[in-house]
């Protein structure tokens, strides 16, 4: 009997301890809480998230509206912009890899539009290319996008019709695809959408054709640089506590070269998710359409204030001439004592090189097709618009050589498929990563390998300087 009483006492004591501490240890034994970011660290950068209307944990179902709306880009400065759901960028759509995403899209603009899901490997019918994927969504009309999201990473959505103007005036938004099986612990996550706006003398949006054909040839860069839709917002940091920035360049033409004095960017991933090993740099370049998954370890002392800067990047004739660096994001360290940063976890990703033996070579050139009376750019000597297309078969592997014959760099984007960039000897650039957007510098050739899975249809490829795309630097691939 005494033994039974003792057993009950012991069990009761264990039960009490378990209820006091979730790990069943006393308070004295518990590890101190992990250091966190300062309170409100991302308040000025927080993006609204699309509301999931579907209770099924495997389906994310959201509404999305394109409409003109007033947006405050810095305190007291309100602009009438083209928006998704009334803000720029549009709402962050957060899904898990393998989820079904349903987007009920409605167009409240005065002109037709579509939504392209940049980087997502989905069916051609959902890719948002007018006339090929779907009919343009006219003013007042709706269209339902419905697909399975196959890959983890940062992706984005934007129009594919009159895109230089529609995107340049504010229509873009991020999609963050999470995979619970990926390693965690890189740092506190912060999506950063970089963009710019061109304003006229009245301080409101400039006309889309401002500057004429010369501006189209250069690619229009807005005079106001935005981070998450705001001019010069402030980000809080605590010395030693890493942050994981999921960055997207959503600008119509601007290359973003970023620098944060005294800090390095540890790039752990890009367009198509994590890379096998990180790449460390103190100048991070994102071409239009491109994404970077970056860890920043705050290494300055408590109380430091500094700016992340846009640094001019020479992307061709005159594009860096007499341009100054621009402060785009204020970084403010809290007064908290520095902590020792945790070690950087391994990404756990392996990416096999695409087997290019027997691959079909595809040679394309980006060309200038202007005549004395008409400005036009093209692919292989023809501006977009004919019924020419490249061909591929399901299961085929191709090696593309994309040659730039004109005086400006071009961010090459292929819809619907990831590719691997190759070096001049034909080997994949290390560390291997999955890309959907890659630069073709002046007078250079971009080589890439792509393998087509079973998603037949018409797929676009084009320059992601959207002034160039709209001037004819687009092409089509027919996959059968
Ligand atoms: Cu271009």
């Amino acid at each position: 009997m005494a033994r039974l009483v003792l057993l009950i006492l012991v069990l009761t004591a264990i039960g009490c301890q378990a209820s006091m501490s979730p790990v069943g240890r006393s308070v004295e034994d518990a590890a101190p809480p992990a250091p966190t970011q300062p309170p409100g660290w991302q308040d000025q950068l927080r993006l609204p998230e699309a509301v999931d209307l579907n209770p099924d944990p495997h389906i994310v179902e959201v509404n999305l509206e394109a409409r003109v709306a007033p947006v405050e880009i810095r305190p007291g400065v309100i602009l009438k912009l083209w928006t998704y759901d009334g803000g720029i960028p549009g709402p962050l759509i957060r899904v898990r890899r393998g989820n079904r995403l349903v987007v009920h899209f409605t167009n409240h603009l005065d002109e037709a539009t579509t939504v392209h899901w940049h980087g997502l490997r989905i069916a051609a019918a959902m890719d948002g290319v007018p006339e090929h994927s779907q009919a343009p969504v006219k003013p007042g009309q709706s269209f339902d996008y419905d697909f399975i999201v196959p890959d983890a990473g940062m992706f984005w959505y934007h129009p594919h019709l009159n895109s230089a103007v529609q995107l340049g005036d504010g229509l873009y938004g991020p999609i963050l695809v999470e995979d619970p099986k990926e390693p965690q612990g890189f740092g506190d996550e912060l999506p950063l959408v970089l963009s710019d706006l061109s304003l006229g003398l009245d301080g409101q949006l400039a006309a889309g054709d401002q500057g004429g054909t010369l501006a189209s040839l250069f690619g229009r860069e807005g005079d106001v640089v935005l981070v998450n839709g705001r001019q010069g917002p402030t980000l809080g940091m605590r010395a030693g506590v890493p942050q994981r920035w999921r960055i997207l360049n959503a600008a119509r033409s601007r290359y973003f070269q970023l620098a944060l004095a005294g800090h390095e960017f540890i790039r752990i991933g890009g367009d198509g998710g994590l890379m096998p090993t990180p790449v460390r740099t103190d100048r991070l370049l994102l071409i239009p359409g491109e994404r970077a998954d970056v860890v920043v370890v705050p290494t300055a002392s408590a109380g430091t204030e500094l700016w992340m800067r846009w640094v001019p990047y020479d992307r061709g004739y005159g594009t860096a001439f007499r341009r100054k660096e621009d402060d785009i994001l204020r970084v403010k360290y809290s007064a908290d004592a520095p902590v020792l940063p945790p070690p950087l976890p391994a990404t756990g990703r392996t990416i096999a090189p695409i087997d290019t033996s027997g691959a079909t070579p595809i040679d394309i050139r980006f060309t200038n097709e202007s005549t004395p009376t008409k400005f036009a750019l093209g692919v292989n000597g023809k501006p977009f618009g004919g019924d020419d297309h490249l061909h591929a078969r399901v299961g085929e592997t191709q090696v593309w050589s994309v040659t730039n014959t004109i005086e400006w760099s071009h961010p090459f984007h292929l819809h619907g498929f990831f590719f691997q960039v190759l070096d001049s000897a034909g080997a994949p650039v290390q560390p291997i990563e999955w890309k959907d957007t890659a630069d073709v510098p002046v007078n250079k050739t971009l080589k890439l390998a792509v393998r087509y899975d079973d998603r037949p249809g018409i797929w676009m490829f084009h320059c992601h300087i959207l002034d160039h795309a709209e001037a004819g630097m687009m092409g089509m691939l027919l996959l059968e």
Side-chain angles (χ1 to χ4, degrees):
M1 185 65 190
R3 274 190 196 166
L4 184 62
V5 170
L6 185 64
L7 183 65
I8 290 169
L9 282 173
V10 168
L11 285 175
T12 308
I14 291 170
C16 280
Q17 276 206 349
S19 67
M20 282 160 61
S21 161
V23 290
R25 289 184 296 173
S26 71
V27 174
E28 286 80 6
D29 294 341
T36 56
Q37 303 297 337
W41 64 287
Q42 57 163 330
D43 281 0
Q44 293 188 24
L45 291 154
R46 199 181 298 277
L47 295 174
E49 295 200 15
V51 178
D52 180 8
L53 304 168
N54 196 313
D56 187 322
H58 305 294
I59 304 175
V60 173
E61 187 168 359
V62 304
N63 291 321
L64 189 70
E65 285 184 1
R67 62 172 189 259
V68 173
V71 178
E72 191 169 40
I73 61 160
R74 68 167 189 267
V77 177
I78 295 171
L79 302 175
K80 225 169 131 188
L81 302 176
W82 296 29
T83 75
Y84 289 117
D85 285 5
I88 61 166
L92 172 67
I93 299 176
R94 204 183 271 277
V95 293
R96 283 189 167 186
R97 178 183 183 186
N99 279 178
R100 179 176 161 204
L101 175 61
V102 182
V103 180
H104 304 288
F105 172 69
T106 305
N107 179 12
H108 291 300
L109 303 170
D110 288 338
E111 63 180 60
T113 189
T114 60
V115 186
H116 166 57
W117 308 91
H118 185 125
L120 293 182
R121 300 189 300 151
I122 56 181
M126 290 291 123
D127 194 46
V129 173
E131 308 306 346
H132 298 295
S133 307
Q134 62 172 110
V137 185
K138 292 185 180 143
Q141 287 186 344
S142 296
F143 186 88
D144 286 346
Y145 295 93
D146 187 343
F147 47 79
I148 303 291
V149 178
D151 301 291
M154 176 80 153
F155 301 92
W156 63 304
Y157 56 97
H158 65 77
H160 222 279
L161 211 161
N162 191 20
S163 59
V165 171
Q166 292 195 2
L167 189 145
D169 289 356
L171 289 171
Y172 41 80
I175 308 173
L176 201 47
V177 186
E178 293 160 347
D179 183 348
K181 291 185 188 139
E182 284 186 345
Q184 306 296 315
F186 292 105
D188 294 292
E189 185 178 86
L190 179 69
L192 289 178
V193 179
L194 309 177
S195 61
D196 61 14
L197 283 173
S198 297
L199 303 184
L201 292 175
D202 61 355
Q204 290 291 323
L205 273 182
D209 59 356
Q210 175 178 260
T213 56
L214 194 60
S216 293
L217 189 58
F218 271 74
R220 289 176 180 81
E221 295 187 30
D223 20 39
V224 175
V225 175
L226 302 175
V227 181
N228 287 2
R230 291 180 179 81
Q231 197 179 6
T234 299
L235 168 67
M237 272 192 180
R238 177 176 177 181
V241 186
Q243 298 188 1
R244 180 182 181 184
W245 295 355
R246 313 299 298 266
I247 315 177
L248 156 67
N249 181 354
R252 120 194 222 175
S253 299
R254 181 185 288 262
Y255 283 42
F256 274 88
Q257 180 170 235
L258 305 174
L260 183 62
H263 296 72
E264 64 175 1
F265 300 102
I266 308 170
R267 193 165 76 82
I268 58 172
D271 294 345
L274 294 168
M275 302 188 302
T277 52
V279 174
R280 291 165 186 265
T281 178
D282 54 8
R283 291 275 173 97
L284 182 69
L285 179 67
L286 287 103
I287 65 174
E290 195 175 29
R291 286 86 70 207
D293 189 349
V294 166
V295 175
V296 175
V297 180
T299 47
S301 44
T304 299
E305 276 195 49
L306 73 167
W307 283 90
M308 181 160 80
R309 284 167 296 126
W310 174 89
V311 179
Y313 180 80
D314 188 355
R315 59 173 180 83
Y317 185 81
T319 51
F321 182 66
R322 287 192 175 169
R323 295 186 70 180
K324 291 192 188 118
E325 298 189 356
D326 199 357
D327 294 338
I328 65 169
L329 175 69
R330 182 197 297 271
V331 171
K332 201 171 170 179
Y333 276 63
S334 67
D336 299 306
V339 295
L340 195 65
L344 185 73
T347 66
R349 184 109 190 243
T350 52
I351 300 178
I354 292 178
D355 180 1
T356 54
S357 56
T360 315
I362 300 283
D363 292 308
I364 67 165
R365 284 170 298 122
F366 282 148
T367 51
N368 190 344
E369 303 305 324
S370 299
T371 64
T373 54
K374 189 174 181 343
F375 165 64
L377 301 174
V379 174
N380 288 347
K382 285 182 190 166
F384 182 69
D387 50 11
D388 286 6
H389 24 251
L390 302 178
H391 291 264
R393 297 224 161 255
V394 169
E396 184 180 357
T397 299
Q398 295 184 336
V399 171
W400 287 40
S401 299
V402 184
T403 299
N404 183 0
T405 68
I406 61 181
E407 293 295 313
W408 287 270
S409 302
H410 304 289
F412 169 86
H413 171 49
L414 174 64
H415 284 213
F417 299 89
F418 292 141
F419 53 79
Q420 292 176 0
V421 175
L422 306 178
D423 63 22
S424 54
V429 170
Q430 299 289 337
I432 299 180
E433 63 176 312
W434 291 114
K435 299 285 299 167
D436 55 54
T437 308
D439 199 29
V440 196
V442 177
N443 292 323
K444 292 277 193 326
T445 295
L446 167 73
K447 278 184 93 158
L448 58 91
V450 54
R451 186 182 174 280
Y452 301 100
D453 57 30
D454 191 7
R455 286 174 297 123
I458 291 277
W459 296 99
M460 301 285 305
F461 58 90
H462 59 90
C463 175
H464 223 285
I465 288 181
L466 294 170
D467 291 302
H468 291 180
E470 293 293 334
M473 197 172 273
M474 298 197 284
M476 291 181 293
L477 172 85
L478 174 61
L479 178 63
E480 291 171 302

